[in-house]
């Protein structure tokens, strides 16, 4: 989701429906994700729906995007696709970075390494007891060699495969306990 955004051309070179004179759904979704990337690149990690709508309407050719209801529908899709998260107060959380960069952390799985170190798979949201699928994107890190999956959240299945592979090959000893 991270690519540079030319905000002057946010709505140009996209497919416009000839009957409604609005962007086709996939192009509108891409434009919305580009706008969210732009806001994230500016260092803003929380945005409200009214702020996002006002920002969206300030761009040239913004009428091609469509209505506020369309924006809300596309935001729901982005949330299902794990491109954004919502705070309990309804604000849009644009930070998808790893807990080591200041985000929240909940360890979901601990895998045993070859030499007793652990590879932890963590996510930003707690894993509900009744839920069978991961509640969002994840990261992994080794407690022995300190290798990580990086600072960008990724799909849980991909992270689990990477973490399992690392746990099967890492020979690092576990970190010593902290002295008090």
């Amino acid at each position: 989701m991270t690519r540079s955004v030319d905000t002057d051309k946010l709505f140009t070179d996209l497919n416009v429906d000839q009957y409604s004179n609005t962007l086709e759904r996939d192009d509108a979704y891409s434009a919305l994700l580009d706008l969210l990337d732009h806001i994230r690149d500016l260092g803003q990690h929380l945005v409200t729906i009214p702020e996002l709508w006002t920002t969206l309407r300030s761009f040239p050719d913004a009428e091609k995007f469509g209505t506020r209801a369309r924006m809300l529908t596309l935001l729901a899709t982005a949330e299902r696709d794990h491109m954004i998260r919502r705070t309990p107060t309804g604000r849009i959380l644009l930070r998808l970075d790893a807990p080591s960069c200041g985000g929240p952390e909940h360890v979901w799985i601990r895998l045993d390494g070859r030499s007793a170190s652990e590879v932890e798979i963590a996510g930003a949201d707690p894993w509900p007891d009744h839920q069978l699928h991961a509640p969002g994107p994840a990261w992994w890190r080794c407690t022995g060699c300190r290798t990580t999956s990086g600072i960008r959240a990724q799909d849980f299945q991909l992270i689990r495969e990477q973490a399992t592979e690392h746990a099967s090959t890492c020979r690092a000893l576990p970190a010593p306990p902290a002295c008090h």
Side-chain angles (χ1 to χ4, degrees):
M1 215 177 95
T2 57
R3 56 183 184 246
S4 68
V5 178
D6 183 0
T7 55
D8 293 332
K9 298 181 180 179
L10 188 63
F11 298 111
T12 58
D13 300 327
L14 298 176
N15 297 321
V16 177
D17 181 70
Q18 64 180 355
Y19 299 108
S20 65
N21 199 32
T22 59
L23 296 175
E24 292 180 4
R25 186 197 180 282
D26 289 344
D27 285 338
Y29 184 65
S30 293
L32 179 64
L33 293 180
D34 285 346
L35 176 61
L36 292 171
D37 273 344
H38 174 67
I39 293 170
R40 184 181 300 116
D41 290 343
L42 293 174
Q44 190 171 346
H45 300 294
L46 283 171
V47 66
T48 64
I49 300 291
E51 290 170 342
L52 182 60
W53 180 246
T54 302
T55 304
L56 180 68
R57 301 309 287 177
S58 69
F59 289 102
D61 296 326
E63 66 279 353
K64 290 180 184 177
F65 183 82
T67 64
R68 183 179 174 130
R70 184 178 204 193
M71 181 188 75
L72 294 174
T73 302
L74 293 173
L75 283 172
T77 301
E79 190 171 10
R80 275 194 312 275
D81 293 345
H82 303 298
M83 304 306 271
I84 61 167
R85 287 183 287 142
R86 300 257 181 130
T87 65
T89 59
R91 296 174 81 187
I92 300 167
L93 179 63
L94 298 176
R95 273 189 94 148
L96 294 178
D97 55 1
S100 62
C101 294
E105 172 182 271
H106 299 276
V107 175
W108 293 342
I109 298 171
R110 286 189 173 93
L111 304 169
D112 290 330
R114 290 184 64 144
S115 300
S117 63
E118 292 180 333
V119 178
E120 298 176 333
I121 299 175
D125 300 312
W127 192 305
D129 292 334
H130 63 279
Q131 190 167 332
L132 298 177
H133 303 287
W139 309 267
W140 68 265
R141 69 172 167 264
C142 180
T143 61
C145 69
R146 307 276 191 224
T147 302
T148 70
S149 60
I151 63 168
R152 284 297 277 175
Q154 297 178 31
D155 177 68
F156 174 73
Q157 296 298 333
L158 175 67
I159 290 295
R160 187 176 69 180
E161 290 169 10
Q162 292 174 0
T164 302
E165 181 180 335
H166 182 81
S168 69
T169 60
C170 182
R171 296 181 178 270
L173 294 173
C179 298
H180 295 282

